Amino acid sequence: KFRTLLLKEVPFAVVKFVAYDAVSNLAFALAPSLSESLQASLVVSLGSGFAAGVAAAAASHPADTVFTRLTSRKGEGGPGSGPGPIAFARNLVAEEGAAALYAGVGTRAAFAGLLLSIEFLIYDFLRRALHVGNDDLELYLDVLASLSQGGRGQ
């Protein structure tokens, strides 16, 4: 179900970016010299990306468990049959305990950490190579916000 997929993907995406930003800002605040070297800043990207992946996986894992189990039951009664995601999660906790929502979280966290470390490494490398700074990104987001509110660049 689309709603269940959103319950899984939205928290993952939000936590991914918030955690990456928090960890990388902390690293640069503790050691400002890391931002001066390309190699050092890319190591920060790798570490921050890994931390973001672990945090995002942990935050979204219960919804991922529910989504996976609901999807695997697809053949039982046809589409739309059975409980929705919230009721399914309640039943799962009642039958198997809260730990069932986190079964396999370690593997998923390691996988997400590895993927996101590579994702943010590429992102930061391209940002530096193209000389795109935080001010450029903020300006772009301001323009998008203005357009979404009906502004015409006035």
Side-chain angles (χ1 to χ4, degrees):
K1 291 182 178 181
F2 182 69
R3 178 177 56 180
T4 309
L5 186 61
L6 282 180
L7 289 173
K8 177 182 109 169
E9 294 301 328
V10 170
F12 185 90
V14 168
V15 171
K16 168 176 97 169
F17 289 113
V18 170
Y20 175 80
D21 197 43
V23 173
S24 62
N25 285 342
L26 177 65
F28 290 127
L30 293 174
S33 62
L34 292 174
S35 63
E36 296 169 10
S37 159
L38 175 63
Q39 292 87 352
S41 68
L42 293 180
V43 168
V44 171
S45 295
L46 278 171
S48 300
F50 189 82
V54 169
S60 65
H61 195 74
D64 184 55
T65 299
V66 170
F67 179 75
T68 302
R69 292 216 186 169
L70 278 174
T71 304
S72 68
R73 295 175 22 141
K74 195 175 187 178
E76 301 173 16
S81 67
I86 304 298
F88 185 85
R90 283 189 188 129
N91 292 341
L92 181 63
V93 169
E95 293 172 11
E96 299 179 33
L101 293 173
Y102 284 95
V105 71
T107 304
R108 185 166 180 257
F111 182 70
L114 289 172
L115 284 178
L116 290 184
S117 65
I118 294 167
E119 176 184 324
F120 281 112
L121 174 74
I122 293 168
Y123 168 75
D124 280 338
F125 176 78
L126 290 174
R127 248 184 60 183
R128 285 188 82 129
L130 299 172
H131 305 288
V132 176
N134 288 339
D135 292 340
D136 298 321
L137 295 174
E138 288 175 15
L139 177 62
Y140 177 74
L141 293 174
D142 288 344
V143 169
L144 286 179
S146 174
L147 291 173
S148 71
Q149 295 172 357
R152 303 286 182 236
Q154 301 162 346

